[in-house]
């Protein structure tokens, strides 16, 4: 008595029904709307599972509700409902009373994996961010964030220290991709300015591949502490120096071979970016390049999904930020004096790399 | 320069790449995890679109960003980002600079549609509900809601007035299905007790189909005002009476042909439900039936998705509630003295109907 029946069979017990009418599936249904009304619970469930380290417990062969609950110090009822929910979402598997990790969860959510990125929830789901979206209707009306102090781009916003501490794992793959693209492994003299360095991973990765590379990291002083800590851990601290302050105010110096602009331009409007890019252009040595990591939607602005939906995060959390198309980015670089820009998508990663030549 | 390229092409401009390697798609990726970290934004975007009545504007042929923004009294930037986001989610279509309604949105989110259910967001995304899920980690630890006063099932919780006012549209289809299943259209003497009547739609619908049906609606007094208002609007008020109070405390009376238990049992644990069902059994006339509307997962508890994930709402908002399997419901009814129960799924609706015979 557990198979679906078609509407025309309503009034007969389920056992008598012989399969659902395919037409039923094509009718408009409220299912996806209902799912969207409840989508916030997906975020809450993921946060709870990360906080209780459920994925690590399962990876460590604690696979029953009882075992996971004991490891997590949680109630069995709570764990059963949470793990069933994560199974429906595809992050866990379930076989009788045993849960297992789906491939994405095993790679990125088991704390014992080198690619663990559960900490990213601390930044992406920070209380300030969730709060910004409580006021989304007002943000749509206004056309920008209703968070005070310019949203996340306000001066010395402490969220960037959280960013630097928690987002590094999510940036390992793009950092490695950028090092390959600029052929850091070939070595040779290379002065790198890493703007809004955050965790510092992008510059540090180049320094690890190229023993002659010298990195100058720019960010708020509080954030640079995290970058310097990471530079020490990677053994590149002797080639790592810093400039503390706002990228819009401090002097960059000159003669850089590479300037890194990773996840930075999306916070600001085009004229602000063009002003910054003129400074970047002036700081580059002949033959130098700006390397930009960005969420880049296609010209239709609704594909690919990860890049297209990124605009929503900028609407909720910044006054004027956006996910820019390549044409828009190319225009900003061109207005700032760059000769040409090239666009590289990097599937399966959601972000693109833009290389702009002085 | 806007097609995806495979990782092995990184380092060459996009124009040189010839299609993505299929292998890339099968690799574990953080894309779905990132999407889940941001899933709360789906709820926020849907709420904002409903509050600003964006779907109705588009249905009314205001299809450009400029037109929608003017109608909604909102900034063009806000509307553009919101509408692009809803397009990625599949609720809107986009053709050059014109947005359109996808079929689900046209049917259920355009205020001019008789099946409009945008108001359901007021209950499903009520601030109390969102707040309950801020504390989901604590709820998993405890095994029940961390909302005060027994969560949503606390005495006279005002959320049930909001429920009664906003959820009626979402219940039209199941109310119609139940009337058909009990063959209300055949007429004849029929006394109906509608437990936790809320908006009253289930009893009222039977009364509309059967001019001899007499409905007794039970709920908190504040909620019954909404049910009585709906009974008046449907012209069945002369056959509509009420019992105010808790279903666990008040006298039901006796001799009912039907007792309706719609979206009620999931709030409580099995012993509590069995106690209630004994009262229901005693209130039924010979040949009488209890009609239950519930989210019923299969025995694996992870299918079908809408029913399986409903447990999460009960974990977040009640001390002991759950989405029960048919075997569990059958056992409760059997313990309470019912002869047998039958289970009917009703695709595309997410909820099942259980008919239990005295």
């Amino acid at each position: 008595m557990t198979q679906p029946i078609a509407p025309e069979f309503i009034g007969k017990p389920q056992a008598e029904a012989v399969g659902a009418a395919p037409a039923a599936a094509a009718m408009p249904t409220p299912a996806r709307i209902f799912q969207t009304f409840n989508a916030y619970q997906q975020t809450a469930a993921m946060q709870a599972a990360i906080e209780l380290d459920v994925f690590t417990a399962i990876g460590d062969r604690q696979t029953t509700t009882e075992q996971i609950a004991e490891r997590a110090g949680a109630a069995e009822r709570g764990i059963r409902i949470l793990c069933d929910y994560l199974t429906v979402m595809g992050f866990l598997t379930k076989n009788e009373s045993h849960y297992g990790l789906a491939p994405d969860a095993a790679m990125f959510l088991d704390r014992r994996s080198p690619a663990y990125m559960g900490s990213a929830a601390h930044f992406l789901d920070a209380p300030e961010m969730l709060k910004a979206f409580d006021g989304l209707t007002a943000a749509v009306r206004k056309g920008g964030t209703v968070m005070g102090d310019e949203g996340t781009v306000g001066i010395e916003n402490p969220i960037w220290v959280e960013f630097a501490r928690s987002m590094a794992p999510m940036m390992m793959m793009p950092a490695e991709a950028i090092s390959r693209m600029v052929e850091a492994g070939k070595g040779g003299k290379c002065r790198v300015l890493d703007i809004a360095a955050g965790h510092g991973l992008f510059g540090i990765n180049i320094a690890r591949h190229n023993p002659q590379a010298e990195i100058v990291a720019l960010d708020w002083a509080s954030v640079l502490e995290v970058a310097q800590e990471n530079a020490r851990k990677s053994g590149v601290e002797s080639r790592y120096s810093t400039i503390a302050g706002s990228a819009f105010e401090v002097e960059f110096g000159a003669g850089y071979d590479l300037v890194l602009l990773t996840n930075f331009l999306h916070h600001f409007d085009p004229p602000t970016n063009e002003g910054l890019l003129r400074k970047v252009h002036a700081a580059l040595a002949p033959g130098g390049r700006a390397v930009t990591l960005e969420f880049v939607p296609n010209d239709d602005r609704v594909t690919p999904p990860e890049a297209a939906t990124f605009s929503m995060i900028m609407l909720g959390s910044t006054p004027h930020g956006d996910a820019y198309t390549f044409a828009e980015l190319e225009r900003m670089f061109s207005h700032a004096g760059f000769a040409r820009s090239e666009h590289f998508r990097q599937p399966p990663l959601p972000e693109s790399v833009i290389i702009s030549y002085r």
Side-chain angles (χ1 to χ4, degrees), chain A:
Chain A
M1 294 252 237
T2 52
Q3 292 310 301
I5 58 165
E8 61 265 36
F9 288 103
I10 288 173
K12 295 183 190 169
Q14 215 177 318
E16 293 178 29
V18 195
M27 281 165 50
T29 85
R32 289 205 55 244
I33 296 168
F34 188 73
Q35 198 178 47
T36 304
F37 286 154
N38 293 326
Y40 71 96
Q41 295 168 11
Q42 296 178 24
T43 302
M46 180 60 87
Q47 278 186 299
I50 288 169
E51 278 181 53
L52 296 168
D53 221 1
V54 163
F55 300 105
T56 309
I58 295 171
D60 202 18
R61 284 180 292 185
Q62 308 298 302
T63 59
T64 67
T65 302
E66 192 183 349
Q67 291 168 334
I68 302 163
E70 193 184 331
R71 174 77 76 95
E76 276 192 53
R77 172 174 181 261
I79 290 294
R80 188 259 296 166
I81 292 175
L82 178 63
C83 289
D84 283 344
Y85 187 91
L86 294 167
T87 303
V88 176
M89 291 195 63
F91 294 116
L92 296 181
T93 59
K94 187 179 183 182
N95 188 352
E96 299 293 332
S97 59
H98 294 277
Y99 296 99
L101 298 179
D104 291 356
M107 174 83 88
F108 300 111
L109 297 172
D110 180 336
R111 201 178 287 275
R112 303 164 316 156
S113 161
Y116 177 74
M117 58 172 61
S119 60
H122 300 148
F123 172 72
L124 294 171
D125 297 331
E128 304 90 297
M129 286 295 287
L130 300 183
K131 194 149 177 290
F133 279 85
D134 280 348
L136 187 62
T137 300
V140 175
R141 282 212 179 92
K142 181 183 174 184
T145 185
V146 291
M147 292 166 94
D149 295 329
E150 298 284 287
T152 53
V153 295
I155 295 169
E156 298 268 9
N157 188 321
I159 201 167
W160 297 113
V161 179
E162 186 62 66
F163 170 84
R165 295 219 177 271
S166 60
M167 290 294 280
M170 211 137 177
M171 294 301 147
M172 301 286 244
M173 285 162 79
E176 192 60 33
I178 286 177
S179 288
R180 264 186 291 149
M181 290 176 75
V182 300
E183 298 181 306
K186 281 197 175 169
K189 176 223 160 242
C190 185
R191 289 195 68 216
V192 181
L193 174 63
D194 189 357
I195 293 182
H199 36 69
L201 240 71
F202 293 98
I204 290 167
N205 198 284
I206 291 174
R208 287 175 56 193
H209 284 282
N210 178 356
Q212 291 183 69
E214 295 189 1
I215 316 297
V216 179
L218 187 161
D219 213 316
W220 305 114
S222 53
V223 180
L224 284 173
E225 288 177 26
V226 183
Q228 284 170 313
E229 192 181 309
N230 288 333
R232 271 192 302 276
K233 281 184 195 160
S234 295
V236 303
E237 73 273 26
S238 64
R239 294 177 283 128
Y240 205 81
S241 61
T242 60
I243 303 175
S246 158
F248 298 98
E249 292 167 13
V250 298
E251 291 297 321
F252 291 166
Y256 294 103
D257 301 291
L258 296 174
V259 175
L260 309 183
L261 290 156
T262 57
N263 292 313
F264 191 60
L265 300 180
H266 56 235
H267 296 101
F268 311 101
D269 61 21
T272 305
N273 283 332
E274 287 178 15
L276 180 86
L277 293 178
R278 272 190 285 273
K279 271 180 77 174
V280 170
H281 189 261
L284 282 169
R289 291 170 290 176
V291 179
T292 302
L293 183 74
E294 271 301 339
F295 291 91
V296 181
N298 292 324
D299 290 338
D300 63 13
R301 288 201 166 278
V302 293
T303 57
E306 296 84 358
T309 53
F310 191 80
S311 287
M312 180 55 78
I313 302 182
M314 293 302 100
L315 175 64
S317 63
T318 70
H320 309 290
D322 214 337
Y324 294 107
T325 64
F326 177 62
E328 290 170 330
L329 289 165
E330 195 173 34
R331 197 175 313 125
M332 292 178 222
F333 278 99
S334 165
H335 286 182
F338 284 82
R340 64 188 170 90
S341 296
E342 288 173 349
H343 178 206
F344 304 84
R345 292 208 184 277
Q346 319 177 75
L349 301 180
E351 292 191 85
S352 291
V353 175
I354 316 284
I355 309 244
S356 304
Y357 295 83
R358 176 169 176 275

